[in-house]
Amino acid sequence: MNILDQIIENKRGEVVAAKSTRSLNELQDSEFFERETFSLKKSLTERSGIIAEFKRQSPSKGIINDHSAVLDVARSYEKSGASGISLLTDHHFFGGSPSDILSVRNEITIPILRKDFMIDEYQFHEAKALGADVVLLIAACLTASQVQEFTDLSHSLGLEVLLEIHTEEELAHFNSNIDLVGINNRNLKDFKVDLQHSVTLKNQLPAGILTVAESGIYSVEDFKFLKQKGFDGFLMGEYFMKNENPGKVFQEFISKISM
């Protein structure tokens, strides 16, 4: 069983537990459920194009940052020009929590991506109730029909969808209702990074689709390479979070890519 399989197996148990704790009706009665969401598609074109991530740990890297406060980092990211904030809500493998979104929702005015392993309808209602604007659909753990179903559900809730792919086979998960396509430079099964592979996949998507380069962007050179190849957005977390002051490093990165 690879790490992705382990994550999905654990996620099924988490969803069952969440359903027993808070019903759909309770989610729909929450403070943020009726709020008008922010558009990541729009923000990518108006700001830096970077979806800056708050990330405490990962299965491949272990502890990345266990001292920074999510609200401080999110505020710094926004101030320096982030197009959006990515918040991991998986606890067991990534050290995140749904409460991370709740804690920053009223404090920033750019889109929040709920980054998790979305496998059940309940999670989409939960994302809306938390105050998320965008949800991640990972092709590697969904069928093409599930992607279509979850995309329609997300849109009915006012949420945008970022579909993540990594292989040519996963291109078949794309449908015309998808808002953005993320191409993961890191293979979720063995964690190897290959930027050129992502460019090859991008070139097989229909023209006009907003694309986001995800993971494995470790330098200004990586960013500029992917930008030159036509990517519209860049999901980055570890590059900033591995430092004592992620917000400061993000600000410095923005200055470098603007030169």
Side-chain angles (χ1 to χ4, degrees):
M1 182 182 291
N2 62 44
I3 186 62
L4 182 58
D5 292 334
Q6 295 175 44
I7 291 172
I8 297 306
E9 181 177 344
N10 185 77
K11 188 60 57 181
R12 292 192 182 100
E14 287 185 0
V15 172
V16 170
K19 287 179 178 179
S20 67
T21 302
R22 200 174 183 197
S23 70
L24 276 180
N25 285 339
E26 289 175 306
L27 292 177
Q28 292 165 0
D29 287 338
S30 64
E31 175 187 358
F32 295 127
F33 202 84
E34 296 300 326
R35 65 174 282 271
E36 184 175 349
T37 53
F38 300 125
S39 171
L40 181 58
K41 292 171 65 176
K42 181 180 179 182
S43 188
L44 282 180
T45 63
E46 294 179 345
R47 293 169 67 87
S48 67
I50 297 177
I51 307 165
E53 188 162 88
F54 181 86
K55 188 175 189 179
R56 296 183 178 90
Q57 66 187 57
S58 75
S60 62
K61 300 292 184 178
I63 299 297
I64 297 170
N65 186 319
D66 59 1
H67 61 271
S68 295
V70 62
L71 181 54
D72 292 342
V73 174
R75 282 172 170 164
S76 295
Y77 283 162
E78 179 182 30
K79 183 178 179 181
S80 297
S83 288
I85 305 292
S86 172
L87 295 176
L88 292 121
T89 53
D90 176 86
H91 176 71
H92 186 77
F93 293 91
F94 291 89
S97 169
S99 64
D100 288 337
I101 298 180
L102 287 172
S103 68
V104 305
R105 176 65 285 165
N106 279 334
E107 305 299 325
I108 62 173
T109 57
I110 55 176
I112 294 176
L113 165 67
R114 182 190 185 179
K115 193 175 182 185
D116 209 319
F117 298 80
M118 309 292 280
I119 57 172
D120 189 281
E121 288 185 13
Y122 179 89
Q123 294 170 286
F124 297 86
H125 290 87
E126 184 180 48
K128 178 67 171 179
L130 292 170
D133 303 283
V134 192
V135 289
L136 180 71
L137 299 184
I138 302 175
C141 58
L142 299 170
T143 65
S145 61
Q146 284 177 313
V147 169
Q148 181 71 67
E149 175 189 347
F150 290 154
T151 298
D152 293 343
L153 173 59
S154 298
H155 288 170
S156 74
L157 295 170
L159 301 168
E160 290 183 343
V161 169
L162 172 62
L163 172 67
E164 176 179 301
I165 62 173
H166 182 77
T167 67
E168 286 194 21
E169 292 76 19
E170 290 169 3
L171 287 166
H173 286 63
F174 174 79
N175 66 72
S176 60
N177 291 327
I178 295 292
D179 298 292
L180 310 109
V181 176
I183 303 179
N184 200 330
N185 304 305
R186 181 185 291 119
N187 190 312
L188 287 175
K189 296 180 179 179
D190 61 18
F191 294 102
K192 292 180 181 178
V193 172
D194 185 350
L195 300 186
Q196 185 56 54
H197 176 66
S198 298
V199 173
T200 300
L201 289 182
K202 176 192 171 8
N203 291 339
Q204 296 179 61
L205 288 166
I209 300 300
L210 288 176
T211 53
V212 177
E214 301 181 6
S215 302
I217 304 171
Y218 296 130
S219 66
V220 171
E221 290 71 30
D222 289 343
F223 177 92
K224 289 185 175 181
F225 169 78
L226 292 165
K227 181 77 171 177
Q228 189 271 330
K229 294 299 183 180
F231 280 91
D232 304 287
F234 309 85
L235 179 58
M236 301 177 62
E238 183 184 332
Y239 182 91
F240 310 124
M241 292 299 299
K242 66 183 179 181
N243 295 279
E244 184 70 24
N245 188 334
K248 180 180 179 182
V249 176
F250 177 72
Q251 183 181 37
E252 293 168 351
F253 187 82
I254 290 292
S255 297
K256 291 175 183 177
I257 64 174
S258 301
M259 291 178 177

